[in-house]
Amino acid sequence: MATIQWFPGHMAKAKREVSEKLKFVDIVFELVDARLPLSSRNPLLNQILQQKPRIILLNKADLADPKQTTQWIEYFKNQGITALAINAQESQGIKQIVPLAKEALKEKMARDKARGLKPQAIRAMILGIPNVGKSTLLNRLIGKKIAQTGNKPGVTKGQQWLKLGNELELLDTPGILWPKFDDEAIGMKLALTGAIKDQLLHLDDLTIYGLDFFARYYPGHIKTRYAFADESLLGGELIMQLSQGLGFRDDYDRACERIIHDIRQGKLGRFTLDRIEEVDYE
């Protein structure tokens, strides 16, 4: 697979805006895909945020392997970062966000109180790569549909302040994605979860990657979803068999689209592509 180049102008602008607006917020909510706790993080963020307090929100936790999610939360905790598993679509975990933000900012709030300042709403910024669920999270936090949602990368274009009662004010920002993926596996993982445009990859390559992953880490899941599947088959041979079994005959592109859709929707079971046991702790 060729190195993926995808860094639209509005994302370069977003990076500048984040850097400029950072001084106006108390804390950053870094939204990642629970299936990709590392690969869906933007490596530029550490450089941009520096010492700014943050909470990592592992969204779409209902689609991720729960054992892996628990271990990832512990992993971030060991790095001194609070992490929380959420499912923005179903509002699961949402009510814990503000209390966690207050806990992270308790020293600042105590200093403000000692200086005689009136309690202010926490000002926060939600950051994440495209299609990780920022707009859905905003809608759940505010309690009404105020942010445009879409199931494709790059829906959010502008920047706006949103008020959540008297406790929280949110600055929504477009997703930022790094200029290129030097690691081919990261590109594949992002594509398999829908974080980057399908047109950037060959669907058969992506399908083979997904099927190989399930065969290795979740044996039996392919067979459970497609009763006619022979999991001993590899790559293109398995796609051909699935294409026949799904009634698509020789329309392999259509079969690939269906398989990728099934994986993204969790129809092959819950999974986590970034494996905690493979993390380099150095």
Side-chain angles (χ1 to χ4, degrees):
M1 183 184 81
T3 300
I4 301 171
Q5 300 281 352
W6 193 55
F7 198 47
H10 72 269
M11 290 193 178
K13 181 183 177 186
K15 177 176 179 273
R16 289 196 303 273
E17 287 181 348
V18 169
S19 299
E20 291 166 5
K21 303 265 181 165
L22 202 57
K23 57 180 175 285
F24 299 118
V25 301
D26 305 309
I27 192 168
V28 168
F29 299 146
E30 183 184 350
L31 197 60
V32 301
D33 189 319
R35 298 166 294 180
L36 304 168
L38 284 187
S39 296
S40 63
R41 299 184 76 193
N42 186 321
L44 296 174
L45 274 188
N46 285 338
Q47 169 195 336
I48 298 169
L49 299 183
Q50 297 179 10
Q51 301 304 312
K52 184 69 68 171
R54 83 172 91 176
I55 295 172
I56 293 179
L57 302 175
L58 290 88
N59 193 27
K60 306 184 184 181
D62 57 309
L63 297 173
D65 182 332
K67 290 182 181 178
Q68 288 279 319
T69 299
T70 298
Q71 291 175 300
W72 277 111
I73 289 172
E74 188 65 24
Y75 168 84
F76 289 125
K77 181 182 177 182
N78 290 337
Q79 291 191 333
I81 302 173
T82 299
L84 173 68
I86 66 170
N87 171 9
Q89 195 69 46
E90 302 297 332
S91 298
Q92 293 170 357
I94 301 299
K95 290 182 178 178
Q96 298 177 55
I97 294 175
V98 171
L100 283 176
K102 287 181 177 178
E103 178 64 24
L105 294 169
K106 63 182 181 182
E107 291 181 9
K108 176 189 180 298
M109 295 168 85
R111 287 196 305 271
D112 289 347
K113 186 176 180 179
R115 292 164 60 195
L117 299 175
K118 290 182 179 179
Q120 300 286 326
I122 293 170
R123 305 198 91 185
M125 181 159 48
I126 298 177
L127 294 176
I129 68 169
N131 208 32
V132 81
K134 293 186 304 300
S135 296
T136 301
L137 174 60
L138 283 165
N139 292 335
R140 296 297 178 266
L141 282 169
I142 307 300
K144 57 185 178 180
K145 192 164 185 178
I146 41 72
Q148 181 187 15
T149 59
N151 200 25
K152 59 183 180 181
V155 167
T156 309
K157 300 284 193 225
Q159 205 166 29
Q160 54 184 334
W161 281 101
L162 304 163
K163 194 172 177 64
L164 175 62
N166 298 317
E167 294 189 302
L168 185 66
E169 291 180 5
L170 290 168
L171 178 63
D172 179 30
T173 54
I176 312 170
L177 203 62
W178 45 90
K180 61 181 179 179
F181 309 101
D182 291 320
D183 184 342
E184 180 180 327
I186 290 177
M188 283 291 193
K189 290 175 181 179
L190 289 164
L192 194 60
T193 56
I196 59 177
K197 297 174 182 177
D198 288 336
Q199 297 92 318
L200 294 174
L201 289 157
H202 295 296
L203 283 183
D204 53 348
D205 289 342
L206 186 57
T207 305
I208 289 170
Y209 176 83
L211 291 172
D212 286 352
F213 173 83
F214 271 91
R216 178 178 178 185
Y217 292 102
Y218 300 99
H221 283 216
I222 297 172
K223 182 76 173 174
T224 299
R225 175 60 182 168
Y226 312 111
F228 50 82
D230 179 355
E231 284 193 297
S232 67
L233 296 176
L234 298 174
E237 290 183 342
L238 182 53
I239 292 177
M240 284 190 283
Q241 190 203 41
L242 291 175
S243 182
Q244 296 292 327
L246 290 168
F248 298 144
R249 297 191 180 182
D250 296 334
D251 192 346
Y252 302 130
D253 284 348
R254 193 173 165 203
C256 288
E257 288 175 3
R258 170 69 174 276
I259 295 163
I260 291 169
H261 176 268
D262 285 354
I263 290 173
R264 288 175 180 167
Q265 297 300 313
K267 292 181 178 178
L268 271 73
R270 297 170 70 167
F271 66 96
T272 298
L273 291 165
D274 285 341
R275 312 297 297 179
I276 191 72
E277 63 269 23
E278 295 172 4
V279 172
D280 185 353
Y281 282 91
E282 292 181 8

